[in-house]
Amino acid sequence: MSFTNIISAIGNNSSIYPLLVRDCGIEVPSKVYLTYKENENDKQIQALATRERFLDEYAGSAVWLGGIPLVEKIANALIKKSGFNPNINIKLFKEEEFQGLKYNLKKFNGKVSDEILNDLKKMYFKSQKETYKKMVAGKFAAATLIPAAFIGFILPKMIFASSAKKIAELKKQNQQKAQTNNPFEKKIKDFKLSFTGNISETIANMTTLQKMMIIDGGYAVGRVATARKGADGNRNEAKDLAFKMAGMMYLNFVAPKQLEKVLNKITGKTLDPLMLADKEFIKKIKEGTLELPKSNSAKDLLEFVDNNPDSLFVKYANKFEKVKMLKNGIRDPREYVNIKKLAEFKQDIEKFAKSAIDSKSVEKFAKRAKNVKTFNILANVGISSFLLAYCLPKAQYAFRRLVTGSELEPGIVNAQMERIKT
């Protein structure tokens, strides 16, 4: 993979790639180290706190980043086994002027395989539609609740139990006869969700990133709910975790997009580095031969995509998931097209092309634009990573000192670690 491809991937704040870089590459190692440093006043607590943070962060990241694809793959296999194609977007059930179940069946008849057409025909009946909607809702529930339950409830219980065992071993070594209170008796409450048709339509079009946001919400609730209480009944660990989780959710999902807007406002919005590095794309702009839809209407946009599958506009619209094309160059009739996003994509290209033509050199303009976009992406990742990996833990430790009066990990302290020394 080239440098431009890497920059393009981590610059897409609607995908998981920036999260992967920030989380596994920067944030987690930094948090483990800062936990080690923050608890250095007590070597025994330091060792346990660092161990907990290491296990928690890496196991949590593995489930957080890989849980949705894994569960969805299993769910899709079950949906296929039931006789439905999981790739059908349920937004097509509501007929629009230029797309919908019946419209697409008529438009793409003879252009795509009978298998695809038959998948769509199965949805003609209301009972089939309702059954499929329930399956989609079930897939969403499984893909979000299972990882959230594991990270939020099961994983902390496992780590707490492991720490309790270590504490018991240390107490035995120090010949302590006092028994440790068991902090693991609280039962996990059952989750119950019911999905209406409108909710099903909404969740069917959620991106992996949006599902990860929901998992984070469940993760936060679980962590606060399973936090260890002190012998005096204090909830210091719950407060500490609530502060941390609120900061993490903001810095992971909100701040990068806000930073992107600020950087774009300063430097000017530009296209993806992959497009700016495409010599054919730049050549067509220079020669005035770049083909684009006539207008932003659904009719003109969809007709252009269907009639010009080999055009650069369609190539990059497919690349950046504005439309979905089949291998034979036909638009996938099972997929719904967000007209607004496709129109915005066209407008961005038009704006760039006009500015490039108005400049003295299209090539130099494109090169500068690519450098600016690369800078914006790296700055965004760098700033958000610094906020997550350094500023948030420091703020959390300051909050901890304010609430507990101590720099030590409140969960370990609440597990009565201090008795080890007596």
Side-chain angles (χ1 to χ4, degrees), residues 55-56 59-60 63 144-163 183-184 186-191 218-227:
L55 294 173
D56 186 21
V63 176
T144 52
L145 294 182
I146 291 175
F150 182 84
I151 302 173
F153 291 90
I154 299 172
L155 181 61
K157 292 288 187 180
M158 292 170 63
I159 293 174
F160 294 166
S162 177
S163 291
F184 313 115
K186 187 176 179 180
K187 295 182 179 180
I188 300 173
K189 295 181 178 180
D190 293 331
F191 284 100
Y219 166 28
V221 171
R223 286 305 171 93
V224 173
T226 56

Side-chain angles (χ1 to χ4, degrees), residues 57 75 88 110 112 122 129 179 229 289 346 401-402:
E57 295 292 344
I88 296 175
V112 297
K122 287 178 184 178
K129 289 179 182 177
Q179 296 181 350
K229 293 182 180 179
T289 59
K346 168 189 168 283
R401 287 191 290 271
L402 180 66

Side-chain angles (χ1 to χ4, degrees), residues 82-367:
S82 299
F84 296 96
N85 190 314
N87 294 320
I88 296 175
N89 193 307
I90 62 177
K91 274 201 168 186
L92 294 174
F93 295 170
K94 184 179 179 181
E95 294 291 330
E96 297 180 6
E97 189 176 3
F98 297 104
Q99 62 177 329
L101 190 64
K102 293 180 181 179
Y103 182 92
N104 284 7
L105 267 169
K106 183 178 179 180
K107 180 178 179 63
F108 292 96
N109 186 30
K111 297 179 180 179
V112 297
S113 67
D114 291 339
E115 182 182 358
I116 292 177
L117 293 174
N118 289 333
D119 288 337
L120 294 174
K121 287 177 183 177
K122 287 178 184 178
M123 299 301 174
Y124 253 50
F125 302 100
K126 185 177 180 180
S127 60
Q128 295 287 75
K129 289 179 182 177
E130 294 304 315
T131 300
Y132 182 68
K133 282 182 180 180
K134 290 177 181 178
M135 289 182 176
V136 171
K139 179 173 75 170
F140 166 79
T144 52
L145 294 182
I146 291 175
F150 182 84
I151 302 173
F153 291 90
I154 299 172
L155 181 61
K157 292 288 187 180
M158 292 170 63
I159 293 174
F160 294 166
S162 177
S163 291
K165 184 178 179 181
K166 287 289 183 182
I167 291 172
E169 290 174 358
L170 287 170
K171 286 184 176 183
K172 187 176 181 181
Q173 291 173 7
N174 292 334
Q175 297 182 342
Q176 285 294 321
K177 296 181 180 180
Q179 296 181 350
T180 306
N181 293 332
N182 183 2
F184 313 115
E185 293 179 355
K186 187 176 179 180
K187 295 182 179 180
I188 300 173
K189 295 181 178 180
D190 293 331
F191 284 100
K192 294 184 180 179
L193 275 176
S194 61
F195 293 93
T196 66
N198 289 335
I199 294 177
S200 294
E201 290 178 14
T202 300
I203 64 179
N205 291 277
M206 280 188 171
T207 63
T208 299
L209 184 69
Q210 290 170 327
K211 291 173 185 175
M212 290 175 74
M213 290 173 66
I214 294 173
I215 289 177
D216 253 19
Y219 166 28
V221 171
R223 286 305 171 93
V224 173
T226 56
R228 292 163 288 193
K229 293 182 180 179
D232 58 355
N234 77 72
R235 297 282 294 170
N236 289 339
E237 186 177 38
K239 296 172 186 175
D240 192 59
L241 287 169
F243 182 89
K244 168 191 169 184
M245 293 306 303
M248 281 180 62
M249 291 187 70
Y250 171 75
L251 292 175
N252 266 322
F253 300 110
V254 180
K257 292 189 176 182
Q258 291 178 335
L259 278 169
E260 183 179 33
K261 288 181 180 179
V262 171
L263 291 168
N264 285 342
K265 190 172 182 180
I266 295 172
T267 61
K269 186 177 180 180
T270 188
L271 301 176
D272 188 275
L274 281 177
M275 298 179 70
L276 299 173
D278 189 333
K279 292 181 180 179
E280 183 184 1
F281 177 69
I282 302 304
K283 181 181 178 182
K284 285 184 178 293
I285 290 177
K286 185 177 181 179
E287 296 174 349
T289 59
L290 182 65
E291 296 179 303
L292 293 172
K294 290 186 294 184
S295 75
N296 297 327
S297 70
K299 179 178 183 297
D300 287 339
L301 287 166
L302 293 178
E303 280 189 358
F304 183 89
V305 171
D306 295 335
N307 296 332
N308 301 274
D310 296 325
S311 67
L312 286 175
F313 176 78
V314 176
K315 171 187 172 181
Y316 284 111
N318 182 53
K319 169 70 177 176
F320 300 124
E321 300 179 349
K322 313 301 180 184
V323 296
K324 184 177 179 181
M325 306 297 290
L326 299 171
K327 290 181 179 180
N328 61 0
I330 303 297
R331 177 164 58 88
D332 192 338
R334 299 165 298 185
E335 188 56 55
Y336 179 82
V337 179
N338 188 316
I339 299 300
K340 182 180 178 181
K341 289 184 178 180
L342 186 60
E344 288 174 351
F345 181 62
K346 168 189 168 283
Q347 289 173 316
D348 288 342
I349 294 175
E350 285 178 329
K351 186 176 180 181
F352 173 81
K354 184 179 183 304
S355 298
I357 292 170
D358 290 342
S359 69
K360 293 181 180 179
S361 170
V362 173
E363 291 87 352
K364 289 182 179 179
F365 183 85
K367 186 176 181 180

